[in-house]
Amino acid sequence: MKHILLAGVALAFSAAPVLARDLTIADVAQLSRVGAPAVSPDGHWLVWQQRETDLAANKGRYDLWKLDLRTPGAKPEKLVAEADVNETSPAFGTDSQTVFFQSDKGGDDSIQSVGIAGGAPRVLLTPKGGFSGFKLSPDGTKALIWADRKPGAPTIEPAMEKKDANAGSGRVFDQMFIRHWDTWANGDRSQLFVVSLGQANAVAVPIEHGLVGDTPSKPYGGGEELSWSADGKTIFFALREAGRIEPLSTNLDIFSAPADGSAAPTNLTPDSDGMDNLPTASPDGKWLAYFSMKRPTYEADRQVLMLRNLATGEVRALTEAWDRSVGSITWSPDSRQIYVTAEDTQQVPLWSVDLKGGTPVRLTGEGAVSAVVPLGNRGVIYSMNSLTAPDDFYKLVGKAMPMRLTEVNAEKLAGIDLPTVTRFSFTGANNDTVWGYAVKPASLKDGKAPIAFIVHGGPQGSSNNSWSYRWNPAVFAGAGYAVVSVDFHGSTGYGQAFTDAIRNNWGGWPLEDLQKGLKAATDKFAWLDADDACALGASYGGYMMNWIEGQWPDRFKCIVQHDGVFDARAMAYETEELWFDEWEHGGHPYYEDPAAFEKWNPVNHVTAWKTPQLVITSEKDFRIPYTQGIAAFTALQRREIPSKLLVFPDENHWVLKPKNSMQWYGEVLGWLGKYTK
């Protein structure tokens, strides 16, 4: 009788619906993250790298997964997943059966291969000194490797350096960069080498021959800035030549070089002073696609898709008439069209561009597309996420509806209620149409919710429909806050004129847009509590928090300022990428036009500050140095305004470590909770 009763209880529990709950940062920190997809040449297999969080070690760890594309209903399977080892960057060989990848097993970076059926991986290359990444040649016999080495390194093997036992620890410089993003300069440059795989004692051949610069570019560049020609004889790459002007230049050029290292590279874009990047050779060997910016020193200029005839050298601007910026470039297998991603009004769709007319055709709807991989039958596989869903893989063929291939976080998100997102528009500054969105907590059934008014960074960025592991609106909604975010003048995805409008205007039109946008949202959505709001922002958004303190001091109950500019004068001399700060304030250094910087300088209005503020900064942030955060906190403390300072010693401009992210949310939500209902 006892066994029957227990069985009945178990049945009752299993039949009961799972109680819904709100999303937390602990959930987000543990989500699996997919990336770097590769499809076998025969279209049979999809392989990708997948990051899992090792919370105890406070970092992510990567495995390789595979999916059978020919079997309906097939489930993902692990391909290579050795404990405490990172397996990344999969690439298929020509036989569709061999997968090449990067591994850090034993602490040394290596290129390995494994059969698609599994088994023990084979180590192909383990160069001394490590490397950052590799790109497989079209025939699968060679690898293009990038690694940090001293300029002019004759091979990838690092030279032995003699150390003076009596040397001090001081760093000595005679030109900038002295530091970049989160790293002090040590004289190394990311350089290219080509090496044959599977050959004993193969020598890695240097490609750059005297060029001094980083390729891929730092801090964000990767394999998308490099390309093999279809016949494997030529390497195309983007590089900004270094020197005393490096912190003032956005002038990356496209170079070509023989893959055997027999000759020096040729600059294919010597007459372009703006940025040229993402060189991508066509499968038929006839074309090179890339993007080009026209204006030098402006990193957010429009990225126009260019097409170079490799036989004649003729260059055409394919998307000159399209007022959007190309964000990624991928060729169709037949070389007749190019797939690109480009922001468009808070979405990041996939587009196709034909070679003749250059007319873009939108292929996807809502969401943010990335990691596009073509299929042999004119279809594509891509990754996509949104404000309420992390990345998964999808397949698109012709005009059919996209087919979802994976649900990697289905179990982890089971039973979690996610918020609803509603976009809205209003008439903002300059009588322009401005867009924003409001996020309604799933737990809000009636009544009103306090507002988290989030201002994006950039400033040339967007509060678009994409998932974030740093500033995630769904986590704020899970904590009971309604999120409002506005794409002010300066935002991307609305045409270049709208993006350009923030120059010399940091505290003008953007603030007007934010003021009008918040009012438009609270007028439109009855569930927003207009009288119970805090404002938050990072980077430019952090600057705006400091600007709001002095210009809109009575609107918010509290403020969260992360890595924001507090003193424009100090920023002009402390930041590393000088082109950004100088362009944004008219194109001159501070000493030539101080009025341009002082016009929108928060430090000049500290006497008006009154709103309680949480200041967050990081010691490895060299973009907006942590001294800016300390100065803001000092101003708040001296004025006896309720304030708090959070400093991360091991983070840069972004908070990336899992435990630090959880601490960040704990402090931020705690601050909001202290001042809102």
Side-chain angles (χ1 to χ4, degrees), residues 122-144:
R122 175 190 175 199
V123 178
L124 303 175
L125 178 71
T126 308
K128 294 180 181 178
F131 61 96
S132 301
F134 79 99
K135 203 158 194 174
L136 196 65
S137 64
D139 65 3
T141 64
K142 298 180 178 66
L144 173 64

Side-chain angles (χ1 to χ4, degrees), residues 373-663:
V373 182
L375 293 169
N377 56 357
R378 297 178 62 85
V380 289
I381 286 176
Y382 56 87
S383 176
M384 186 172 68
N385 62 63
S386 70
L387 282 163
T388 55
D391 274 297
D392 270 300
F393 291 116
Y394 295 78
K395 178 180 178 181
L396 179 65
V397 179
K399 296 182 179 180
M401 291 293 292
M403 178 191 305
R404 185 169 182 166
L405 298 175
T406 62
E407 294 182 86
V408 298
N409 288 297
E411 290 186 8
K412 294 178 180 179
L413 291 173
I416 293 177
D417 267 353
L418 289 163
T420 56
V421 181
T422 306
R423 298 178 65 234
F424 65 95
S425 64
F426 59 95
T427 300
N430 198 40
N431 289 320
D432 291 330
T433 299
V434 177
W435 285 87
Y437 63 68
V439 181
K440 184 178 181 181
S443 58
L444 183 66
K445 306 306 179 185
D446 51 38
K448 295 177 181 287
I451 299 170
F453 187 53
I454 298 179
V455 180
H456 72 69
Q460 292 88 1
S462 173
S463 300
N464 56 32
N465 184 18
S466 62
W467 187 262
S468 174
Y469 287 94
R470 292 183 290 119
W471 286 74
N472 190 313
V475 175
F476 286 91
Y481 292 92
V483 176
V484 176
S485 197
V486 171
D487 269 2
F488 48 83
H489 279 80
S491 299
T492 51
Y494 304 88
Q496 195 59 44
F498 192 86
T499 301
D500 293 347
I502 198 170
R503 189 187 192 196
N504 276 326
N505 199 11
W506 268 35
W509 288 0
L511 178 60
E512 184 179 342
D513 290 336
L514 294 172
Q515 291 171 328
K516 291 180 175 178
L518 182 55
K519 185 178 188 307
T522 54
D523 287 348
K524 181 178 179 63
F525 304 108
W527 42 269
L528 292 175
D529 190 340
D531 297 323
D532 197 18
C534 286
L536 311 85
S539 196
Y540 172 83
Y543 158 85
M544 182 53 70
M545 295 303 103
N546 290 330
W547 189 244
I548 284 173
E549 280 276 11
Q551 304 297 319
W552 201 11
D554 297 307
R555 180 62 184 89
F556 299 102
K557 291 189 171 182
C558 71
I559 282 175
V560 177
Q561 183 261 110
H562 181 146
D563 291 346
V565 175
F566 169 73
D567 182 356
R569 179 180 184 178
M571 172 70 176
Y573 290 107
E574 290 179 347
T575 192
E576 16 82 286
E577 291 186 348
L578 296 177
W579 67 74
F580 164 75
D581 207 43
E582 293 183 7
W583 173 273
E584 292 298 309
H585 296 91
H588 301 283
Y590 181 92
Y591 55 81
E592 289 185 1
D593 189 8
F597 293 79
E598 296 298 343
K599 183 177 182 180
W600 310 114
N601 194 350
V603 76
N604 295 330
H605 304 278
V606 168
T607 54
W609 285 28
K610 63 174 65 173
T611 310
Q613 183 178 144
L614 167 64
V615 180
I616 306 173
T617 188
S618 298
E619 293 180 15
K620 295 178 71 177
D621 184 359
F622 302 152
R623 181 61 41 88
I624 300 179
Y626 71 90
T627 49
Q628 293 276 316
I630 290 176
F633 180 66
T634 300
L636 292 158
Q637 290 279 298
R638 289 292 289 117
R639 286 189 51 75
E640 298 183 354
I641 299 169
S643 49
K644 196 173 186 180
L645 175 66
L646 171 61
V647 181
F648 290 102
D650 54 348
E651 298 285 5
N652 54 38
H653 200 54
W654 300 335
V655 175
L656 302 176
K657 294 180 172 62
K659 291 180 181 178
N660 290 347
S661 179
M662 295 170 71
Q663 182 184 9

